[in-house]
Amino acid sequence: MSEKQSLGTICIQGGWQPGNGGPRQLPIYQSTTFKYTTSEQMGRLFDLEESGYFYTRLANPTNDAVADKICRLEGGVGAMLTSSGQAATFYSILNICQAGDHIVSSSTIYGGTSNLFTVTFPKMGVECTLVNPDAGEEELAKAFRPNTKVVFGEVIANPALTVLDIEKFARLAHSHGVPLIVDNTFATPINCRPFEWGADIVIHSTTKYIDGHAATVGGCIVDSGNFDWEAQHRKFTGLTEPDESYHGIVYTERFGKMAYIMKATAQLMRDLGSIQSPQNAFLINLGLETLHLRVPGTARMLSKQPGICSPEDVEWIHYPGLPGDRYYDLARKYMPSGVCGVISFGLKGGRMAAAKFMDKLKMCSIETHVADSRTAVLHPASHTHRQLTDEQLVEAGVDPSMIRFSVGIEDVEDIIEDIRQALE
Ligand SMILES: *Cc1c(COP(=O)(O)O)cnc(C)c1O
């Protein structure tokens, strides 16, 4: 199949390729295991000397087809599904970090990621320095240490809606000999392709727009194949020196550009689990089939409706697709065809007004979820970011009055009407 297909075509046609007489829709290989005729062949599979399926924790054809579709959408060389977005973030870092290492991350990141980096990773001996993503390069460079192994950021931060200057972060990471990992959950590959701007690894919570129907929790790691691990041999010995758990294979020698993603699959998934289930992968694929239709819809609607809320009620509004927003220029650069369907605002009257407004909504529902076909609303300070102090909230870009409003694909008029009656 042509590599030059457009994103919309890949959403529909990518991944599963049926043979003559084969099933048109992606089959669910609901099997833990796969059968072989000779013991020797199975042995070669275990040694990674031959490719093939033998146990679903390591690889499954349904999961592989979906990972391959996401990989093509991002323009990478290899991808792996995980059971959740959190597992994808965790593995993406752990694949190149161990006790004694350090990571530099933008401070405006998802609440779960922030907990992982600042509470759980330190318990495992990996330290994290959070940086203001809008700081200058000289200032940001001060965060690096000799043991820094990776830089992390979110293309559009959930829920702060800051836009990462991907080129700036890539330059910074590369000048320190480390890769840039970005979370592309909110923009999706339909609106932003981070590899084209220098990111090395992309991760997703497929739970959000990619699934799009609030049906499955899932994640994905995509490898661009662009980072030269060998050039930093001593920094990334997990990839460049023999892996004793595979009779001493060296991932960079054996797999070249696929070294990172092969290690994540063959070693981390083998040892830690957290696989996606083939059933869920099937549902994720159904979501992917309409991703190119759903994502521009919500983004366009928001850009055309700057007056959804009237200035009398609203203290502030953040949406990078809106002229005048602090991140408008970065959004235009990295996401020229649209941003995402999530908007945030603060009502006059702060926290109290936020709770009152949300309780009055009739159609738009209060839920933890975001980036769904249904319009969903949340108050981060009382919900997802409840554990953070007011100081930490500010650092994470979350105003205590913030309402996160995730626009679905219902009729625009009905959404606006619901907002209007709740404000009244
Ligand atoms: C939801 C989310 C995650 C975590 O994903 P789960 O699938 O809930 O584990 C990570 N990053 C971003 C930007 C998210 O919105």
Side-chain angles (χ1 to χ4, degrees):
M1 188 151 297
S2 152
E3 284 302 309
K4 288 238 158 48
Q5 285 175 337
S6 69
L7 296 179
T9 303
I10 298 170
C11 281
I12 300 281
Q13 298 278 354
W16 171 246
Q17 302 299 327
N20 192 31
R24 188 64 195 92
Q25 181 52 286
L26 171 65
I28 305 171
Y29 284 82
Q30 193 64 38
S31 182
T32 58
T33 191
F34 302 82
K35 177 178 172 286
Y36 288 92
T37 42
T38 69
S39 148
E40 196 207 330
Q41 189 178 11
M42 179 92 110
R44 283 201 301 271
L45 293 174
F46 267 98
D47 281 352
L48 303 179
E49 278 170 3
E50 215 172 273
S51 63
Y53 298 100
F54 53 103
Y55 193 57
T56 283
R57 171 152 40 77
L58 286 109
N60 172 283
T62 307
N63 290 8
D64 275 4
V66 179
D68 182 51
K69 182 180 280 193
I70 298 173
C71 182
R72 286 194 56 203
L73 288 172
E74 289 287 3
V77 297
M80 174 177 94
L81 296 189
T82 57
S83 57
S84 67
Q86 282 304 110
T89 311
F90 180 55
Y91 284 13
S92 73
I93 302 275
L94 199 66
N95 205 30
I96 44 175
C97 283
Q98 60 185 36
D101 288 342
H102 173 249
I103 61 191
V104 171
S105 171
S106 161
S107 64
T108 55
I109 46 175
Y110 175 68
T113 308
S114 164
N115 278 325
L116 172 65
F117 287 2
T118 62
V119 181
T120 299
F121 267 148
K123 289 181 194 161
M124 301 169 68
V126 175
E127 292 198 356
C128 174
T129 302
L130 296 178
V131 294
N132 175 355
D134 301 328
E137 285 183 53
E138 254 174 56
E139 184 61 31
L140 290 170
K142 290 182 193 155
F144 284 79
R145 304 179 189 165
N147 58 344
T148 301
K149 293 291 171 69
V150 60
V151 177
F152 186 93
E154 279 176 28
V155 173
I156 304 175
N158 173 12
L161 300 182
T162 56
V163 175
L164 192 77
D165 188 342
I166 306 171
E167 282 192 312
K168 177 177 82 176
F169 269 71
R171 224 174 12 246
L172 197 74
H174 297 160
S175 68
H176 290 85
V178 302
L180 171 64
I181 301 181
V182 297
D183 180 333
N184 197 24
T185 298
F186 265 31
T188 83
I190 300 300
N191 283 340
C192 183
R193 307 231 306 165
F195 294 155
E196 292 171 5
W197 303 101
D200 301 288
I201 313 289
V202 160
I203 59 136
H204 281 283
S205 165
T206 60
T207 316
K208 314 297 164 56
Y209 286 117
I210 286 183
D211 167 5
H213 297 78
T216 58
V217 172
C220 186
I221 304 176
V222 190
D223 183 0
S224 70
N226 291 336
F227 193 82
D228 188 351
W229 308 103
E230 266 305 331
Q232 304 294 333
H233 187 104
R234 297 238 302 278
K235 261 199 178 97
F236 301 107
T237 49
L239 288 158
T240 60
E241 303 235 321
D243 177 358
E244 292 316 327
S245 71
Y246 273 117
H247 312 306
I249 68 162
V250 175
Y251 291 99
T252 46
E253 274 174 16
R254 176 72 68 87
F255 301 108
K257 278 183 172 299
M258 302 269 290
Y260 173 93
I261 201 71
M262 283 305 294
K263 175 172 182 278
T265 312
Q267 191 194 69
L268 289 190
M269 205 50 109
R270 178 197 62 189
D271 295 355
L272 299 172
S274 302
I275 51 158
Q276 186 51 282
S277 78
Q279 287 272 353
N280 281 357
F282 174 82
L283 293 170
I284 291 167
N285 188 55
L286 282 188
L288 279 165
E289 290 189 356
T290 56
L291 184 68
H292 60 305
L293 302 176
R294 289 180 286 111
V295 167
T298 50
R300 204 175 316 120
M301 181 214 128
L302 280 176
S303 314
K304 282 206 186 129
Q305 304 285 340
I308 282 184
C309 320
S310 69
E312 301 96 74
D313 306 308
V314 177
E315 185 84 47
W316 57 267
I317 186 158
H318 289 328
Y319 183 63
L322 213 55
D325 187 89
R326 195 167 164 203
Y327 296 95
Y328 182 69
D329 291 339
L330 283 176
R332 293 274 301 179
K333 174 176 173 181
Y334 295 115
M335 292 162 270
S337 55
V339 182
C340 68
V342 184
I343 190 166
S344 71
F345 54 89
L347 294 177
K348 292 192 171 144
R351 253 177 210 263
M352 291 282 284
K356 242 169 140 181
F357 165 76
M358 288 170 54
D359 290 350
K360 290 274 187 237
L361 288 167
K362 288 181 180 152
M363 180 184 77
C364 310
S365 42
I366 301 175
E367 25 177 291
T368 315
H369 202 45
V370 68
D372 182 9
S373 320
R374 280 154 292 240
T375 297
V377 60
L378 176 100
H379 183 229
S382 330
H383 305 141
T384 46
H385 290 61
R386 209 181 165 81
Q387 291 85 354
L388 302 192
T389 63
D390 275 7
E391 206 174 59
Q392 287 170 321
L393 282 176
V394 171
E395 193 184 19
V398 178
D399 189 289
S401 72
M402 173 191 285
I403 293 170
R404 184 183 74 185
F405 202 89
S406 172
V407 178
I409 52 175
E410 301 96 342
D411 267 350
V412 181
E413 287 71 29
D414 292 330
I415 300 172
I416 294 176
E417 181 46 35
D418 198 18
I419 296 173
R420 192 169 291 134
Q421 65 81 24
L423 284 173
E424 271 168 24

